[in-house]
Each structure stands twice: as structure tokens, then as C-alpha cells.
Amino acid sequence: MPVSPTPLHSAAALAIDARNVGRVYKAKPNPIVALDGIDLTVRPGELFGLLGPNGAGKTTLIKILTTLLLPSSGTASVFGFDVERQTSQIRRIMNIVSGGEQSGYGLLQVREQLWMFSQFYGLGVREGWRRVDELIDLVGLQEQRVQKVSQLSTGQRQKLNFARGLLNDPWIFFLDEPTLGLDVSAARATRELTLAWQAAVPGRTILLTSHYMAEVDEMCDRLAIVDRGRILAIGTPAELKHRVQSESIFRLELDRLDRGVGALARLPGVISAASVAGNDNGADGERNTILVKLVLVDDGALGPVVSALAGLDAHIVSLQKSEPSLEDVFVELVGRGFEDDLTVHQNGTGLRSAGSRPADEESVAEELAGRSR
Amino acid sequence: MTALAEAGTRWSRQADPESTRRQSIAQVWRGFLTATRLGWQTEANWTNPVVYFLYAVCTPVFATLMLVFMIQVISGGNAPPAYRAYVVIGSGLWSFVVAGIAGLAWAVLDDRERYRMLKYLFVSPNDLLVLLLGRGLARMMVGAMGAIVTLGLGVVVLGLPLDLARIDWPVLVAAMVLGLVSIVALGLILASVAMQTRQDSWHYPEAVSGALFLIVGAVFPLNILPTFAQAFGLISPLTWWLEAVRRALFPDIQSGIGGAGSLYASLAGHDAPSGIEALLALLLTTVVVTLAAVATYRWSEHRAKERGLFDVTTGS
Ligand SMILES: Nc1ncnc2c1ncn2[C@@H]1O[C@H](COP(=O)(O)OP(=O)(O)OP(=O)(O)O)[C@@H](O)[C@H]1O
Ligand SMILES: [Mg+2]
């Protein structure tokens, strides 16, 4: 029977307990406030996401929790162990993998490098080899087993790094942008492995950072939206999305609307109706339709609106419910877009939104592929 | 994914922090040995052993031969064999010193700048100090090959008057052990400096060992130096180490420390230290340097943690 991490130490201990953690980097000309009073608790067994733009402080927080960096203020503990004073205990029960880096001892073989770390983690010689071979199979580096680390591709190096991270079977696994720079299938494989590893033994905990919203939305039980060293919101993806939007949004495509969107806006249950200009279809000229973004008090208001359309002599070409995305949450909280190319959403010039598609594995991969160009 | 779950069963128990509040001696030792092996494999370019051997062994041999040849020329062929022995020991052992002093610092720099693994080593359960010592030891073993070959050639080719029956083995062994410790301690101080991310840190070990070469009596006695330089020489354990090794190997060799008009003679009241005296001075200076080195290293590690330097690269 699998052993779950928590009972070994203390059933009550939180996986992460950060209180008012601050971090200032000394820098010229002005000190940089990377973390500005972070309060965060993560329970054992959670897959927790940190979502935020470049420079938000995600890596800084991970460095503090993994005992690489001291906080400037506040306290933090991992499974009840203080990050400043009980570093040796924390180092036994956690591991960290950062994405997008070219790390590794180039002259060593894949197997040798992993074996060395197995020894640094205190596994016996034979146990070490067995574990190394298991993990090589698990991450899919079978064919590179005896290849030199210097000859690995970026994705293969990342797999190697992942295997190293699992060598000590951590209770808590810190993943700092683990899919950065990976192609679609490698990124998907990494996500699947992460989820499978976590699901295999109850209590295994993951803290994941990303600026891929779909990835966080898809994988995490809960997440925090971070910007400029502060946590702006914490909750499950659904909660956060619900928070920005208690109304229902629909995207309505009509063949014609002679009396203008104003007529729609006056219907009962409609909060607002706005025609959406500059749509992708507009250019081809073949489909001469009108796109309307309808905000309703709730889903129930849709029926009367649809009946009323007949009276307006308009026919529905398509109707789609728009789910709010984490992007919407971010824009709402911060008042600006997440990344520059996505601020179009805020300007209201288009309806491009990750949330209008279901966040399934494929769309996550698609989105990631699109952005990593 | 049963493999994942099985692994969990097996390893979670090992990860119990209550039972491993401190690392066992066996685990520390295992980490040290593994780091030594890593050092041996990464330091030496074993893909081309011939080139590597030439580099590791021929460099000190030729450096020593060049010095001996220069002395012959300068003295018009009249240099006494004892002085030749003095130079061969000092110069031959120096490759060992350079390797030791540079080894730990270069391990820090290599791991941070080239392999980008320093942070992963640092957050592994092993004390980074132990891992660095292992890495440094590997480099010293390479340096020791050069030293041994040089000394052997000195005896065979240059006809140094080595009399096996007269070697003072206890002093020799004690001096070598203490010398090793003091060299590693000096290396640790340089590793502490290298940890503080300076682009030019790569050159520090060579600069420092170059400066030491002049003041510790490696190829000429201290008494030709100005008094303040002699004072620095006397507080360096390497000076006493070379003296003790020379005394143990060649009882009749000239002292590198004492002599007419030397600072030592004016302080001690007699001309030159005995073997035991040199050994005691070596012990004392080694203890001081080692304590200073560990303190410096701990301070450096703390400062690196405070500033987040473990994964900062200078691009050097
Ligand atoms: N060693 C350092 N010295 C000075 N400033 C630093 C250092 N490391 C990070 N910073 C600054 O701290 C802030 C937070 O950086 P951090 O790396 O934590 O962000 P992040 O959320 O991980 O960003 P990204 O998504 O780009 O990885 C940034 O403004 C960064 O410039
Ligand atoms: Mg980051």
C-alpha cells in the first residue's frame, strides 16, 4: 500500500505556510521589491499554481521555499519545517525543477548523472541504479540512457531534469515553468507525467508556476494570481473565474440586425449588448453577419431574448456561451493584459479569448504551441 | 502508473525527516565519494586521455626542468646537488598546490557557469561543502600525478641524492597530511570568493598561487626576500609544509626558512628550524587557516543565500 507523505511528520502540517513573506533584492540604482507580503497556504496533496506575468515574483517565492534564497521579511515553512532554520529537513522532502535552462554535466551519460544525484540524495548504490533506470523509463529517455548529456536536445534535458527531481520521491515538488521551451507533445507529456506522479500517492504536493494560463487552468486544484510581488487572488480556477463574472456572457451571430444592438440592450434580462467589430470573418466578405456580445443577468434570460429576436426580424447563425478565462480574471484584477499580445481583449476590439474554447488537453497544447513561437 | 506508486512506497519512508534529522556519517561519506568521482569525470577530459596526460604530467615536469636548467646556467654549472633537490621538490609539489587551490573554486565556477547545477547541488540534502571538497580532491589527485612523476624523474634523471634509509617517514607522512589540509583550506577560501559572483574569479586561484609561489620558499629561500614578505611566508602553512617535506626527504638539505640574516633566525635565535619544529609550525598554521577557511566559507554561503547567487551566472 502506498505510503502517503503526511502521517510521517504531522497530519496537521500544511505543505506550504507562508506568512507575510517579503523579498527585496539589493540592486542599483533602486532596490527591487520582488515579493511584497505574500500569504499563502497549500495543503498536502494539492496541485497549486502560481500564475503571473514576467517579474511577478514567482521564481523568487519558489527559491525561498526551496531554501535557495532567504526571505527579507516574514516566515515560511514547508511541511512544518522553517525555510531558514530547518533547511536540511526540507531538502530531504522536496525537489525542484526549473524549465527553460541548459543544465547538466555534459561529459556524463544520462544514467551516470542521475546516479550521482541518487547518491547525493542518500540512496544506496544498487537502490540508486534501480531507481535511476525506473525513472529513465518513466520520463521516456530509454534511448538516451547512455548518451552524453551534452548531446541531448532541450526537451530531453528537461526530461532528465524531471527524472532528477523525482529521485528522492519528494513530498513536495516545485516546478518552475516546467514546460517552457518544450514542443506541444513534450509539454503534454510533462503535464501528464506530473499529474500521474501526483495522483499515484495521496499527499504528494506540487507547486507549479507558469504564465501559460491554459496550463494552470487545466492542471491546478487551486491557484494564486501574482503580480508585482503580491497575491491578487487565490482560489480554484472556477472560483476565480466566477468571481470576475456573476453574469452570463454569450456570443451571438445574427444574419442581420436592422434596428441595431440598442434594440437588444433594451430587452429584459440584458445587461449589455455590444456589436463586435473587426472580427476575423469580416475580411472575407462572404459571410455578412453581425456579431454581438451579450451580457445577461443569468442564463435564464437567454430564452426571452431568443424569442424576441424573431420580432426584430433577425435570425441566429450561431450562439456560443463565453466562459470567462483566467485572462479575464487577470485583466479585471490588474487592469491590464497579461501579455502584450493579449491586451486586445481588454480593448474590446476582438473576442479572442482562451476561455471560449474548452480547456481540454488539446486546446492547452494548441495554445502553448501558439505562444512558444 | 504503478511504477510511480511503488516508488512512493519504497522511498517515502526514506524521506522521513524525523529519522534523518542529521545525515548519517555513511551518507556524508557517500556524497563525498560521489562528488570526488564527479570531479574526476568532469575535470579530466577522459575522452582524450593522451592529451590530458600530457597536460597533467608534462606541464609540471617541464616547468621543473626549466627551473633546474636555468639554475645550472646562472650558476655556471656549479649549483650544489642539494639546491637542485630543493628546487625539484618545491617546483614539483607546486602542481599539487595549484590543483588544490584552484580545485574548489573552479568546482563552484564550473557548476554555476557551465553546468548550471550549483543550485541543484545546494538544495540536495548533502552539505555543499562536502561536495566541493570531493570535487577539489579529484583535481588534487590529478595534480598529485604530476608531482609524483616530477619527483621520480628528479631522482632518476637528475640524480637527486635520495637515500631511502634516511627518509624520516613519520615526519613525511604527517607533513603531507597537514599540507593537504592546508591546501584544501586555501582552496576553500578561494571557493568562498568565487561564490560571490565575480566575472574574473576564474583567475584568482592562479594569481594567488603565483603570489604564494614567491613567498613560501618554493624555489629560493625566504631570506632573499624583504622582511615583510618573509613575515607573510612564515604565517603561510605552505612554507612549513615544504620545509618539513624537504627535511624528511633530504636531511642535509638547506633550509628554505632560516639562514643568515633571515627573519626566522632573528626571531627564533637559531639558524634554521628542525624537522619537528617545522612540523609543529605547520600544524599551528594549518589549524588557523582551516578554521578561517570554514568560517569564510560559511559566511560566503550565507551571503550567497541572502543575495540569491547560486543560480546567477556572470557569463564568464
Ligand atoms: N538576483 C536578483 N537580483 C536582483 N533582482 C532580481 C534578482 N532575481 C530576481 N530579481 C527581480 O525580482 C523580480 C521578480 O523576479 P522573479 O524571477 O521572481 O519573477 P518571475 O515571476 O519568476 O518572472 P518570470 O515569469 O519572468 O520567470 C523581478 O523584477 C526581477 O528583476
Ligand atoms: Mg520565473
Side-chain angles (χ1 to χ4, degrees), chain B residues 165-223:
Chain B
R166 292 185 67 200
I167 292 177
D168 189 343
W169 291 104
V171 170
L172 181 65
V173 170
M176 285 309 290
V177 170
L178 289 172
L180 181 85
V181 172
S182 64
I183 292 168
V184 169
L186 290 171
L188 190 56
I189 291 175
L190 280 160
S192 312
V193 174
M195 207 176 262
Q196 303 302 315
T197 32
R198 291 292 307 273
Q199 207 147 34
D200 39 1
S201 320
W202 287 100
H203 307 301
Y204 290 1
E206 273 157 352
V208 168
S209 50
L212 282 172
F213 190 70
L214 295 179
I215 63 163
V216 301
V219 289
F220 48 77
L222 285 190
N223 65 359

Side-chain angles (χ1 to χ4, degrees), chain A residues 2-312:
Chain A
V3 176
S4 66
T6 30
L8 292 170
H9 179 45
S10 154
L14 286 164
I16 294 173
D17 189 2
R19 294 180 189 221
N20 202 21
V21 171
R23 171 68 212 195
V24 180
Y25 286 107
K26 286 180 194 143
K28 286 168 193 160
N30 297 312
I32 296 169
V33 180
L35 295 178
D36 186 11
I38 296 281
D39 285 301
L40 180 67
T41 56
V42 174
R43 290 182 294 274
E46 272 191 303
L47 202 170
F48 193 93
L50 290 176
L51 183 63
N54 293 132
K58 306 179 295 291
T59 301
T60 302
L61 182 58
I62 285 206
K63 282 201 209 173
I64 288 172
L65 295 172
T66 55
T67 76
L68 263 174
L69 182 70
L70 293 173
S72 310
S73 57
T75 57
S77 62
V78 173
F79 278 96
F81 298 119
D82 186 272
V83 294
E84 288 184 61
R85 285 173 287 110
Q86 294 171 298
T87 52
S88 58
Q89 286 94 321
I90 292 179
R91 287 171 189 175
R92 307 224 109 223
I93 59 164
M94 67 89 188
N95 217 318
I96 171 175
V97 169
S98 311
E101 60 180 27
Q102 286 287 319
S103 60
Y105 296 106
L107 282 168
L108 300 187
Q109 295 174 359
V110 165
R111 214 165 161 258
E112 287 173 335
Q113 171 162 330
L114 285 175
W115 183 78
M116 280 185 173
F117 270 92
S118 77
Q119 301 307 291
F120 294 152
Y121 289 119
L123 309 188
V125 174
R126 267 201 284 144
E127 318 258 20
W129 282 122
R130 193 172 28 181
R131 183 94 175 117
V132 164
D133 286 329
E134 256 176 31
L135 285 170
I136 284 177
D137 293 342
L138 199 69
V139 300
L141 279 177
Q142 293 92 332
E143 284 167 28
Q144 287 75 33
R145 208 176 283 268
V146 293
Q147 195 166 317
K148 291 256 171 68
V149 171
S150 58
Q151 295 163 357
L152 297 180
S153 73
T154 310
Q156 289 165 344
R157 275 199 196 221
Q158 184 63 355
K159 286 179 180 177
L160 173 62
N161 202 1
F162 222 86
R164 182 199 50 72
L166 293 177
L167 271 171
N168 65 331
D169 194 31
W171 297 8
I172 180 161
F173 200 13
F174 293 91
L175 296 172
D176 194 4
E177 306 194 30
T179 55
L180 193 70
L182 299 186
D183 70 22
V184 174
S185 69
R188 186 191 303 139
T190 299
R191 283 192 292 272
E192 280 169 0
L193 178 60
T194 305
L195 292 170
W197 175 81
Q198 195 206 17
V201 177
R204 281 179 177 167
T205 312
I206 292 173
L207 185 72
L208 172 94
T209 81
S210 183
H211 31 239
Y212 301 140
M213 274 156 292
E215 182 169 278
V216 172
D217 197 347
E218 152 85 8
M219 294 178 73
C220 296
D221 301 319
R222 285 199 307 145
L223 70 131
I225 292 184
V226 192
D227 185 43
R228 297 178 193 191
R230 290 174 162 274
I231 290 181
L232 303 178
I234 300 185
T236 64
E239 276 168 10
L240 289 180
K241 286 183 276 190
H242 186 72
R243 181 189 293 207
V244 276
Q245 207 164 32
S246 49
E247 314 93 13
S248 304
I249 301 179
F250 291 90
R251 182 185 143 116
L252 188 61
E253 192 178 3
L254 301 171
D255 61 344
R256 54 193 291 187
L257 190 60
D258 297 341
R259 288 162 62 188
V261 285
L264 282 181
R266 283 188 292 274
L267 294 173
V270 177
I271 293 173
S272 71
S275 69
V276 183
N279 193 52
D280 299 350
N281 297 335
D284 62 18
E286 282 174 36
R287 286 172 66 194
N288 213 356
T289 58
I290 292 164
L291 266 178
V292 179
K293 182 182 180 185
L294 260 186
V295 182
L296 307 178
V297 284
D298 56 32
D299 288 1
L302 186 62
V305 171
V306 169
S307 325
L309 280 173
L312 294 171

Side-chain angles (χ1 to χ4, degrees), chain B residues 108 112 128 132 191-197 297 300-301 304 309-310:
Chain B
V108 169
R112 196 181 60 210
L128 183 60
L132 290 178
S192 312
V193 174
M195 207 176 262
Q196 303 302 315
T197 32
Y297 176 78
S300 173
E301 209 181 59
L309 301 180
F310 290 107

